[in-house]
Amino acid sequence: MTEPALAHATEYGRMYSRSLSEPPTVPSITTVISQGSTSLDGWHSYMAASAVVKDPKLTAALGSPSQLRSVVKEASSASERYRDAAAQRGTRVHFYCEQVALRALDRPHEVERAREDLAARGEHQFADRFDEWWKLYDVQPIAPEITVWNAELGYAGTLDLVARIGGRLCLIDYKTKNTDRDGQVKQLDDKVVMQLVAGMKAQESLVDAAAGTWEPWAYGQDPLLLGVAVGQTEVRPMRANPDVLPQHWFKFCALRRVWQTSIDAVAAGRALLPVPPPPVGAHETPAPQAALPETADPQTSVPAGAPQP
């Protein structure tokens, strides 16, 4: 997948601008969805433990604290390495899918280079299975990698493909997936429905990034929303259930508010302030004043009837 020209990495996540000459102003669809991410602590722990067990240096490191520390240090970043490798592979597969669509539209493309790039890493099966799916479903591309904008809610994103399949308009999002033990591509996450419905609810699509030209979104009226899992053994398209789209749109809207509220909370100032110790002696209770005798004259402090000095 090519990097959208208007997308920027910022401290608030990935954000989009209206043109190449303007700063980013709205979050990406994926950044909004990430506000609802669940904890991956268990997965990180499993990846680290698995890396230790599989490390060929483990046997030699036993009995050597310094070598064991080296093994543990390397294993601690196993999940990050896996994540980064998966992201790079996903970029290569998405790029190939985009080039296939460009070729079908008789536009300049790099299909051969994209396939060679996959083959050089032993990933050519992704391209093989994708080609089979493309032909079997007779995909008729309309717009690959199209950037969309919603000004009312405030977000933007890039859809992998707008196409017609079986005469039906489709918004498509590709997900590169591994294969399970049964040889089937792994299931898509339900979050893809939020991603697709946010694309469907766009108001504009990009015409020219340099000029900042946009046009009304032409493909949001009752499209078929498809999440397409691209694996080495098969390609599995999954349709978003139309009955649940309102709920997933409401969830996306709520997460957009979470993103904004988080920024507002940071901008409001420091959340925690230091508390200095109290001044010396401030904890001591002042001594009570002596009470006057009940018969004392408040004017003279001399008991009534006593001789005057």
Side-chain angles (χ1 to χ4, degrees), residues 13-304:
R14 197 182 193 196
M15 297 182 65
Y16 277 76
S17 59
R18 290 289 288 179
S19 74
L20 296 179
S21 60
E22 296 181 27
T25 56
V26 300
S28 71
I29 291 173
T30 53
T31 292
V32 171
I33 293 173
S34 71
Q35 304 305 301
S37 294
T38 55
S39 173
L40 294 176
D41 290 348
W43 178 72
H44 289 299
S45 299
Y46 169 79
M47 292 297 295
S50 180
V52 169
V53 172
K54 295 178 181 178
D55 195 322
K57 302 187 295 294
L58 178 60
T59 301
L62 295 176
S64 173
S66 62
Q67 292 185 42
L68 278 175
R69 282 195 297 270
S70 177
V71 170
V72 170
K73 182 178 180 180
E74 186 173 349
S76 65
S77 61
S79 60
E80 286 79 7
R81 293 196 304 271
Y82 179 90
R83 177 201 61 202
D84 294 344
Q88 293 168 7
R89 183 190 64 186
T91 297
R92 291 189 292 271
V93 173
H94 274 73
F95 182 70
Y96 178 79
C97 298
E98 178 191 3
Q99 300 311 304
V100 169
L102 291 174
R103 180 178 62 185
L105 290 167
D106 292 326
R107 291 164 56 181
H109 63 84
E110 298 180 79
V111 170
E112 295 306 321
R113 183 178 75 82
R115 175 176 276 278
E116 290 171 0
D117 197 20
L118 289 171
R121 294 170 172 80
E123 300 167 342
H124 63 279
Q125 298 97 331
F126 289 100
D128 294 339
R129 302 292 83 76
F130 182 80
D131 288 347
E132 293 169 359
W133 171 78
W134 187 272
K135 182 178 180 180
L136 178 64
Y137 279 73
D138 190 24
V139 181
Q140 304 297 315
I142 297 173
E145 293 292 320
I146 184 169
T147 298
V148 297
W149 192 285
N150 182 307
E152 183 177 1
L153 188 58
Y155 68 86
T158 301
L159 300 175
D160 289 335
L161 181 65
V162 177
R164 287 195 179 277
I165 300 178
R168 183 73 185 273
L169 179 68
C170 302
L171 304 186
I172 297 173
D173 186 79
Y174 302 125
K175 299 296 183 186
T176 305
K177 305 295 288 185
N178 287 324
T179 300
D180 62 22
R181 295 178 180 178
D182 297 325
Q184 295 182 329
V185 67
K186 292 187 176 180
Q187 291 288 337
L188 293 170
D189 193 296
D190 285 351
K191 289 195 293 290
V192 72
V193 176
M194 265 198 294
Q195 191 168 349
L196 288 165
V197 76
M200 180 184 72
K201 291 285 190 177
Q203 298 172 321
E204 299 174 280
S205 60
L206 181 65
V207 176
D208 188 315
T213 306
W214 299 75
E215 64 183 7
W217 176 229
Y219 307 114
Q221 300 301 316
D222 194 32
L224 190 67
L225 305 183
L226 293 181
V228 178
V230 182
Q232 292 177 296
T233 56
E234 65 174 334
V235 171
R236 180 185 298 176
M238 300 293 290
R239 176 188 181 185
N241 180 358
D243 294 336
V244 305
L245 296 187
Q247 288 72 28
H248 285 264
W249 169 243
F250 296 152
K251 182 177 180 179
F252 181 83
C253 294
L255 291 175
R256 173 60 177 81
R257 289 193 292 273
V258 170
W259 180 86
Q260 187 64 56
T261 303
S262 298
I263 294 177
D264 293 343
V266 172
R270 296 176 63 180
L272 293 170
L273 300 175
V275 179
V280 176
H283 64 284
E284 297 179 359
T285 304
Q289 295 182 353
L292 294 174
E294 293 182 1
T295 56
D297 186 336
Q299 299 297 323
T300 61
S301 298
V302 177

